[in-house]
Amino acid sequence: MDKQADVIIVGSGLAALQLAHHLHSTSHVIILTKTKIRQSNSYIAQGGIAAVIDKNDSIHSHIEDTLKAGRYHHFTEEVKRLASEGATAVRELIEGGLGIDRDENGQPSLGLEGAHSAKRIVHSGGDATGRHTVEYLLATLPANVEMIEGEMAYECLMSEDRSRCIGIKTKNKDGERSRYWSPHVVLATGGVGAVYPATSNQPTMTGDGIAIAFRAGAEVIDMEFVQFHPTLLFKNGAVRGLISEAVRGAGATLIDEDGLLLMEGVHPLKDLAPRHITAYEIYKARAKGKDVFLDISGIQQFEKHFPTITAICERNGVPIREKLLPVAPGSHFLMGGVSVDSNGCTTVPGLYAVGEVAHSGVHGANRLASNSLLEGIVYGKRLAEFINGHLPVDHQRANIFHYGKQLKNESVIGLSKKELQVRTMRAAGIIRAPESLESHINYLKGQGIQQWIENGLDELDRDNIEQVYMHINSYLISRAAFLRRESRGAHIRTDIATEEAGWQGKQIVQTKNQIQIRGGQHERNSIRIHA
């Protein structure tokens, strides 16, 4: 099947829906998702939206908290834009009808989360902010937006000289291929959580958008910065769900099996320290054979304030009445991703990225809690404004690029998702050793990583395409982690345990043809405006 649209959005999370809301109502917009509309990371997000809407808070404070948590590895101007435009965008959502939690006086009930210096977390439905926000956007979606479920995007349609993206290829669950043509193709596919064995993400988060963009020739940046959430519910050796940072913000504490306070003397903010610090402490305790728990005895009416977490615990046989929730860290958020400019343009004309799949420079080396939904809101709107300025476009289909060779299912038949997850965690998990990283990189090369990058995927089934994507993302993460010779934010090396001044602001940039270290924000202007 062939279909034409003014704008194609791949993904159905908050960034995708915010973008669709702000595109011109006269344009034909198609949203594609490989599963169901409500099966995004945004939909299951428990934490709220960090936004300065209280008169006692300040944009400056939000900026400083973001920079400090991310270890000053940001594009500073983008952080300023995130905080200032975010405050305005969140107020617009509330004024437009998004229901938020309020106190007895009718004022926004603002929460506190790790590494924030003020209560600025906007919640909806207690610990169901993602679901409530997505449902609000879905309910108010303009009529010009067409939703198509069950279509897995797997490859860009490129012009014959590979200079421009002109559409996207998809496969449905039956393996039937379709081509969607558009001058504006937006990747909003989320992160890479499923590359690891324990994750807070949906199991479908296999890094599709990053692999698609990378194979199309786009730059990807800072793939080594993978955030591990400190508190995933952990029962019988498996992750059962996420326990939001808001629980610690409400007064819960981390203790080991002996009842000792885990964060005492570790960081001035104790249990509300930045995520990479708390995750590392839990990791070390568990490595010594000690179980770790979140003690919620200090929170009154826990079930009322955290209904989603209560339901997860009850469903998995963890009684809330005992006040101890077993926890372990797991992969949560990718700070790196497809390189974009302030508008969301990638280095490939016609191809855009927004949300977690994109590297906008706002998260640095470690994302500040509740800045993820904010990023989707801010940059979804920004990208819409940019694309609106370049509509309409005459829909003239150019000749397309054809791969000389197509991968066969037999060439990837021996791959195992579980084995890759274990290997990736061992090499590029919370703690990284250069020897393990080098060994894993060589393993991936031996499996055939280069042919997966360079050849077509038309003949692979969906499961094998996901296998390829996961291996490519593991490769990108590991190569960057091997090169960054320091410990910064979420990236912790066994051989160099400190931040190195010479590495601050240095990005590791990967394309199909090379990997390079780039000197920071002043060198990011290689992305040109494409229209």
Side-chain angles (χ1 to χ4, degrees):
M1 179 184 74
D2 277 32
K3 202 162 187 176
Q4 184 83 46
D6 295 305
V7 183
I8 293 171
I9 304 170
V10 183
S12 60
L14 186 59
L17 296 175
Q18 174 77 336
L19 167 63
H21 258 268
H22 288 275
L23 289 167
H24 279 323
S25 60
T26 55
S27 58
H28 178 202
V29 179
I30 294 177
I31 293 179
L32 301 168
T33 181
K34 70 175 176 180
T35 52
K36 298 292 185 181
I37 292 298
R38 291 170 174 83
Q39 209 168 328
S40 65
N41 274 355
S42 297
Y43 200 79
I44 61 171
Q46 296 172 1
I49 306 167
V52 179
I53 63 171
D54 183 82
K55 65 178 188 300
N56 296 316
D57 197 2
S58 72
I59 299 295
H60 174 77
S61 176
H62 191 183
I63 292 168
E64 287 302 310
D65 290 347
T66 300
L67 294 174
K68 188 174 182 180
R71 302 312 307 147
Y72 306 98
H73 187 71
H74 311 68
F75 294 158
T76 307
E77 290 304 313
E78 296 304 321
V79 176
K80 293 177 180 177
R81 183 172 285 116
L82 178 76
S84 60
E85 294 184 14
T88 301
V90 170
R91 286 194 191 96
E92 287 176 353
L93 285 174
I94 296 170
E95 291 167 2
L98 173 64
I100 63 169
D101 297 343
R102 297 180 181 272
D103 62 22
E104 60 276 9
N105 298 316
Q107 296 302 308
S109 180
L110 301 175
L112 179 67
E113 292 185 4
H116 284 273
S117 59
K119 289 187 174 183
R120 65 168 67 98
I121 313 303
V122 178
H123 288 277
S124 182
D127 55 0
T129 306
R131 175 165 60 86
H132 281 260
T133 308
V134 168
E135 289 291 359
Y136 164 75
L137 290 174
L138 286 173
T140 55
L141 206 59
N144 61 302
V145 180
E146 180 182 0
M147 311 282 282
I148 300 177
E149 296 180 319
E151 290 283 331
M152 178 184 179
Y154 70 93
E155 206 167 75
C156 286
L157 285 165
M158 300 295 293
S159 60
E160 193 170 24
D161 61 1
R162 304 188 80 173
S163 65
R164 185 178 188 89
C165 175
I166 53 177
I168 198 85
K169 298 180 186 178
T170 69
K171 286 194 178 187
N172 65 18
K173 59 181 174 53
D174 297 321
E176 297 168 337
R177 296 199 302 266
S178 295
R179 298 188 299 183
Y180 292 85
W181 302 82
S182 176
H184 303 289
V185 176
V186 182
L187 300 173
T189 52
V192 298
V195 174
Y196 292 88
T199 181
S200 63
N201 290 192
Q202 296 276 22
T204 53
M205 293 295 109
T206 50
D208 301 5
I210 292 168
I212 290 170
F214 178 72
R215 283 169 38 83
E219 290 184 353
V220 295
I221 292 183
D222 283 353
M223 290 293 290
E224 69 274 31
F225 291 118
V226 179
Q227 184 180 82
F228 290 81
H229 198 288
T231 54
L232 303 188
L233 185 67
F234 199 75
K235 179 81 180 294
N236 297 331
V239 169
R240 306 297 179 179
L242 175 70
I243 301 177
S244 169
E245 196 147 352
V247 174
R248 278 175 284 140
T253 55
L254 289 163
I255 63 172
D256 66 16
E257 62 186 35
D258 300 319
L260 298 176
L261 294 169
L262 203 65
M263 298 304 295
E264 192 70 34
V266 174
H267 190 277
L269 294 176
K270 297 183 180 180
D271 296 278
L272 290 175
R275 285 176 175 170
H276 66 289
I277 295 173
T278 47
Y280 187 29
E281 291 304 312
I282 297 171
Y283 169 84
K284 288 191 293 184
R286 289 181 53 80
K288 294 176 182 176
K290 290 184 178 291
D291 289 330
V292 177
F293 300 89
L294 202 53
D295 181 354
I296 62 171
S297 59
I299 303 176
Q300 301 297 315
Q301 297 181 304
F302 183 90
E303 296 91 332
K304 176 184 176 182
H305 294 295
F306 300 104
T308 302
I309 295 170
T310 298
I312 291 171
C313 289
E314 290 176 348
R315 193 163 58 242
N316 290 284
V318 178
I320 294 295
R321 65 180 178 277
E322 293 185 6
K323 307 296 184 183
L324 293 176
L325 312 183
V327 296
S331 68
H332 184 58
F333 192 87
L334 178 68
M335 278 72 72
V338 182
S339 179
V340 297
D341 66 7
S342 296
N343 297 308
C345 304
T346 74
T347 52
V348 173
L351 185 65
Y352 309 83
V354 67
E356 188 177 352
V357 70
H359 176 273
S360 60
V362 299
H363 300 306
N366 182 47
R367 176 175 66 77
L368 181 66
S370 290
N371 268 357
S372 55
L373 295 182
L374 184 69
E375 179 189 20
I377 291 168
V378 170
Y379 284 88
K381 182 180 179 182
R382 285 190 64 80
L383 179 53
E385 290 170 350
F386 175 82
I387 292 176
N388 285 340
H390 296 87
L391 289 172
V393 175
D394 187 22
H395 298 308
Q396 291 184 348
R397 295 181 187 176
N399 293 328
I400 63 171
F401 167 79
H402 294 280
Y403 282 94
K405 182 179 180 182
Q406 295 289 334
L407 290 176
K408 308 291 184 184
N409 283 310
E410 297 75 35
S411 67
V412 295
I413 200 72
L415 299 182
S416 163
K417 288 183 180 180
K418 287 186 177 180
E419 181 180 359
L420 177 73
Q421 290 168 336
V422 171
R423 285 179 174 273
T424 304
M425 187 66 188
R426 189 184 303 143
I430 295 175
I431 308 295
R432 291 96 183 261
E435 299 82 10
S436 299
L437 286 164
E438 187 170 29
S439 174
H440 184 54
I441 292 165
N442 288 334
Y443 163 79
L444 291 169
K445 287 179 178 178
Q447 292 294 304
I449 190 73
Q450 207 57 44
Q451 65 168 330
W452 302 336
I453 293 170
E454 293 176 353
N455 297 317
L457 306 179
D458 287 346
E459 297 179 21
L460 294 187
D461 61 37
R462 284 174 48 145
D463 189 61
N464 281 332
I465 292 172
E466 281 195 343
Q467 293 266 27
V468 168
Y469 285 165
M470 291 172 72
H471 281 73
I472 289 175
N473 279 289
S474 183
Y475 182 63
L476 294 172
I477 292 166
S478 301
R479 281 209 305 177
F482 181 74
L483 275 186
R484 183 170 291 279
R485 295 185 55 77
E486 66 162 350
S487 291
R488 183 179 297 274
H491 176 69
I492 302 173
R493 291 268 296 231
T494 58
D495 55 331
I496 310 171
T498 57
E499 292 180 357
E500 300 295 313
W503 273 100
Q504 183 170 328
K506 295 289 182 68
Q507 277 80 44
I508 295 176
V509 183
Q510 301 182 67
T511 62
K512 285 194 306 179
N513 301 318
Q514 65 177 343
I515 181 169
Q516 60 176 314
I517 299 168
R518 200 154 67 193
Q521 189 169 357
H522 65 284
E523 292 187 16
R524 79 184 284 243
N525 296 324
S526 60
I527 299 176
R528 301 286 182 252
I529 290 179
H530 312 308

